Each structure stands twice: as structure tokens, then as C-alpha cells.
């Protein structure tokens, strides 16, 4: 099959971390995704939780080696001229599975072909090939220019969060959860005395529900005076997984038009979610009872097609004060459950509210 010309680019992307109720977790990863013909290549893989080799937390020498490999300035790491395009976000071990492709030169062009899912040294294209992806032919000059920008010391994401609130025990648990998934977190009562150079290391500042507007304004001024464009998070609930999800969303600084998960609302009857490409979506409800204990309900876990979808909610799962968290492999959204009930429907009624 002849490779047709395609455009090549790079865009910042995030694999959102998560703290599970059983104590398990998945790490937060920032990486550069490959953009082919204006669309992230990862979006063509609907149920894949993976990152490219161009991750921000990779040591500089290894990061440079990955870039030079994609430029074919180093030998392929796998037999047959194969390179890892996406790998396991937890350990990067080939045994966990990776998307690989052959990368070669054809004149001045670069060609990516024979995409496959690979768990050992040799790829089985007949059994595990991605027959609907590629081959792609990228003009050499644009391809080299896009990758060369990564060798010029591009700024790395700020993966630290400043936590401000009155509930010290809750903030300590939140900080521990964030550090577990690879996000730095510090706790303070105010930011006025924090040096400007330190403020510039934060990507987000999160406020507890009891923080006054006057204190919030003071913190915002401190960051503004330091010249920092920082995301502000207003904590929805004293529930660590909900706060982690809010912070993960705030730290995702990738282009909004290249996110898979674009909308989430919830009533007592249903959650409405919208995605831009086929992907696995998980919906989880968190409910606070009268004693402020947290109850967790897994609502939905499945692959959804592009568009809007309505997922029915069990009334007991969202009784009283409740929140819904939606996750795809690279995006997360949080919403409070409103009390205005809408019509009930079947779980994941596909395309039910498309315009």
C-alpha cells in the first residue's frame, strides 16, 4: 500500500492520574502527542491508555535519544526498523504492550507504516497489526522542524500545585494523593509571603470551600504580581478523588480542541457526556451522606462513539450532595449533580442528544 502524504505535528497532551478507592493509583504523565493531518494520532486508538516516548518526566539524555531515534539518527530499538510510538504510562515496559511502527526514509520524506500492537521483540502484523492506521508519508523538512523544536529546550509543564484551605487533615491527604501520582503539592494559608520565583513553579492553585473571597483575591494578586499564568481550582467537595480529578483537569494545558472529553453535566436522573473521538469513558459517582462519609458508585465503563451520550444514574448513587467524575485515557472532568431531574434513559444511549 502506497503511503499518502500527511501533515506532521506535535501537541502537548496529558495522561491524567487517579487515586482509586482501594488505595491503588495511576500516575500523571505529560507528554507530546503526534498530530497527523491535524488530529492526535492517539485518538485513532479508542481504548488505549498510553503515552508517547516524548514524556516530560523522561531524563533529558533519554528524551533527546528518543527524538533522535524518530529522526532516524539512531538505530531502531526493535527488530525490523520498528520504533515505539505509544507505550505503557506506568513503566514503559514492552511486556505491558506498545504501539510500534516501522519508520524509514524515502528520499527526503519520512514514512511511518506497519503499525502494530507489540508485547515482545517481534511484531505479528497478521495477528496484531493496526490495518486501519497508516501508512503516512511526512515531508522531511516539516517533520524535522517539528521534532527539532524539542531539542531546543522547550519549557516543561509545571507539575506542582499550591493547596490553600482550613482543613489541614484533608489537605494533607490530598497532597499525599497528588504526590503519589507524580504531582508535587504544597500547603499554605496564604501566598503573599511566598517568593515570586517559587510561585512560578506552580501550575495550579486549589482553594478549599471555606477560603474567603478576600483571601482568594490576595492569592490571585500574588501570582499575578509574579507574572504567573496559573490555573485556579475551587474545590467542589471534601473528597480526595474529586479534588484530584479537578486538579488533573486544571493541569491539562493542552489545546481544548484536541481533548477527547469536552462536556459533562449531571442531574439526579442522568449524566450527559460528550466526546470528540471513539474512546473508553468511565463515570464514577461520589456521594456524601449526612455524616459526611463518602460513598463511591461506578456508573459506567465502556467505549463511546463521538458525540453526546446520556447515562442513566441510580437515584441512590447521587442522593443528597453528589458529584460525578468522567475519565477517558487522557482527559478528566468533574461536575456536581444538580437536583433538576431530567428524563431517564438507558445507560450510554448513543447519540441521544446530538445536534
Amino acid at each position: 500500500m502506497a503511503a499518502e502524504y500527511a501533515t506532521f505535528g506535535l501537541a502537548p497532551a496529558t495522561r491524567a492520574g487517579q487515586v482509586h478507592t482501594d488505595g491503588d493509583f495511576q500516575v500523571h504523565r505529560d507528554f507530546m502527542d503526534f498530530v497527523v493531518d491535524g488530529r492526535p494520532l492517539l485518538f485513532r486508538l479508542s481504548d488505549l491508555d498510553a503515552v508517547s516516548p516524548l514524556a516530560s518526566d523522561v531524563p533529558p539524555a533519554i528524551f533527546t535519544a528518543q527524538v533522535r531515534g524518530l529522526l532516524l539518527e539512531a538505530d531502531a530499538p526493535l527488530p525490523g526498523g520498528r520504533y515505539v510510538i505509544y507505550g505503557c504510562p506506568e513503566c514503559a515496559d514492552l511486556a505491558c504492550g506498545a504501539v510500534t511502527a516501522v519508520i524509514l526514509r524515502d528520499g527526503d520524506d519520512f514514512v511511518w507504516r506497519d503499525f502494530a500492537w507489540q508485547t515482545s521483540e517481534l511484531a505479528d502484523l497478521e495477528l496484531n497489526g493496526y490495518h486501519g492506521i497508516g501508512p503516512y508519508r511526512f515531508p522531511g523538512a516539516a517533520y524535522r522542524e517539528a521534532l527539532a523544536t524539542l531539542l531546543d529546550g522547550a519549557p516543561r509543564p509545571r507539575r506542582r500545585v499550591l493547596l490553600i484551605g482550613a482543613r489541614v487533615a484533608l489537605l494533607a491527604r490530598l497532597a499525599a494523593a497528588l504526590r503519589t501520582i507524580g504531582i508535587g503539592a504544597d500547603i499554605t494559608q496564604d501566598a503573599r509571603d511566598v517568593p515570586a520565583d517559587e510561585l512560578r513553579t506552580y501550575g495550579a492553585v486549589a482553594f478549599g470551600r471555606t477560603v474567603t473571597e478576600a483571601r482568594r483575591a490576595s492569592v490571585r494578586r500574588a501570582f499575578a504580581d509574579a507574572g504567573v499564568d496559573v490555573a485556579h481550582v475551587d474545590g467542589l467537595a471534601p473528597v480526595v478523588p474529586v479534588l484530584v480529578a479537578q486538579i488533573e483537569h486544571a493541569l491539562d494545558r493542552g489545546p481544548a480542541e484536541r481533548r477527547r472529553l469536552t462536556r459533562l453535566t449531571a442531574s439526579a436522573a442522568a449524566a450527559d457526556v460528550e466526546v470528540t473521538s471513539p474512546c473508553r469513558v468511565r463515570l464514577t459517582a461520589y456521594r456524601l451522606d449526612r455524616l459526611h462519609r463518602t460513598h463511591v458508585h461506578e456508573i459506567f465503563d465502556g467505549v463511546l462513539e463521538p458525540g453526546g451520550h446520556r447515562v442513566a444514574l441510580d437515584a441512590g448513587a447521587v442522593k443528597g450532595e453528589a458529584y460525578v467524575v468522567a475519565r477517558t485515557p487522557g482527559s478528566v472532568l468533574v461536575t456536581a449533580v444538580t437536583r433538576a431531574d431530567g428524563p431517564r434513559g438507558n445507560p450510554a444511549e448513543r447519540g441521544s442528544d446530538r445536534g
Side-chain angles (χ1 to χ4, degrees), residues 85-155:
I85 305 301
Y86 296 110
C88 173
E90 300 288 341
C91 66
D93 193 329
L94 183 62
C96 290
V99 176
T100 67
V102 173
I103 301 179
L104 52 83
R105 289 284 298 272
D106 185 6
D108 191 50
D109 299 334
F110 288 77
V111 177
W112 289 20
R113 62 173 175 83
D114 297 338
F115 288 81
W117 177 253
Q118 196 165 342
T119 57
S120 61
E121 287 293 304
L122 299 177
D124 187 334
L125 292 179
E126 185 68 26
L127 183 63
N128 296 317
Y130 286 102
H131 302 292
I133 300 181
Y136 303 115
R137 178 183 293 273
F138 303 118
Y143 181 89
R144 287 189 294 269
E145 181 180 2
L147 288 168
T149 60
L150 300 179
L151 301 176
D152 296 334

Side-chain angles (χ1 to χ4, degrees), residues 9 11 59 80 121 139 200 207 249 255-256 312 343-344:
E121 287 293 304
R200 296 187 186 102
F207 300 103
H249 173 69
R344 292 181 181 269

Side-chain angles (χ1 to χ4, degrees), residues 298-353:
E298 299 299 329
I299 303 299
F300 176 77
D301 188 346
V303 175
L304 298 179
E305 296 299 318
H309 305 270
R310 171 155 291 193
V311 180
L313 299 180
D314 181 88
V318 293
K319 181 181 179 182
E321 184 181 352
Y323 305 86
V324 173
V325 176
R327 288 183 177 275
T328 69
S331 304
V332 59
L333 285 177
V334 185
T335 187
V337 176
T338 65
R339 295 297 102 194
D341 291 356
R344 292 181 181 269
N346 294 326
E349 182 180 321
R350 309 219 171 167
S352 59
D353 62 347

Side-chain angles (χ1 to χ4, degrees), residues 126-337:
E126 185 68 26
L127 183 63
N128 296 317
Y130 286 102
H131 302 292
I133 300 181
Y136 303 115
R137 178 183 293 273
F138 303 118
Y143 181 89
R144 287 189 294 269
E145 181 180 2
L147 288 168
T149 60
L150 300 179
L151 301 176
D152 296 334
R156 299 204 169 192
R158 297 182 307 234
R159 298 170 57 200
R160 292 181 67 199
V161 181
L162 189 62
L163 307 177
I164 299 177
R167 302 182 62 173
V168 177
L170 172 65
L171 294 180
R173 295 198 304 273
L174 175 58
L178 290 169
R179 292 168 188 149
T180 296
I181 64 176
I183 298 173
D186 300 302
I187 301 170
T188 187
Q189 292 297 312
D190 206 331
R192 287 176 296 183
D193 297 327
V194 180
D197 286 346
E198 186 173 345
L199 290 178
R200 296 187 186 102
T201 66
Y202 293 103
V205 54
F207 300 103
R209 294 199 293 188
T210 61
V211 177
T212 66
E213 183 54 41
R215 186 183 298 177
R216 293 169 191 248
S218 173
V219 172
R220 293 189 183 102
R221 282 196 302 272
F223 276 96
D225 291 343
V228 185
D229 177 19
V230 66
H232 297 95
V233 179
D234 293 320
L236 284 174
V239 179
V240 168
V242 171
L243 295 170
V244 167
Q246 284 190 266
I247 291 169
E248 284 280 9
H249 173 69
L251 289 175
D252 184 357
R253 308 309 289 266
E257 65 274 13
R258 290 184 179 148
R259 295 180 186 175
R260 280 181 161 175
L261 187 60
T262 56
R263 183 173 63 87
L264 173 67
T265 60
S267 69
D272 291 289
V273 60
E274 185 172 356
V275 295
T276 59
S277 66
C279 59
R280 180 185 178 188
V281 177
R282 290 174 292 152
L283 297 178
T284 307
Y286 296 87
R287 178 176 68 86
L288 290 172
D289 64 19
R290 294 180 180 177
L291 299 178
H292 297 284
R293 295 172 300 193
T294 303
H295 302 266
V296 183
H297 301 269
E298 299 299 329
I299 303 299
F300 176 77
D301 188 346
V303 175
L304 298 179
E305 296 299 318
H309 305 270
R310 171 155 291 193
V311 180
L313 299 180
D314 181 88
V318 293
K319 181 181 179 182
E321 184 181 352
Y323 305 86
V324 173
V325 176
R327 288 183 177 275
T328 69
S331 304
V332 59
L333 285 177
V334 185
T335 187
V337 176

Side-chain angles (χ1 to χ4, degrees), residues 5-20:
Y5 274 105
T7 62
F8 179 86
L10 298 164
T14 298
R15 188 267 194 158
Q18 181 180 7
V19 178
H20 301 285

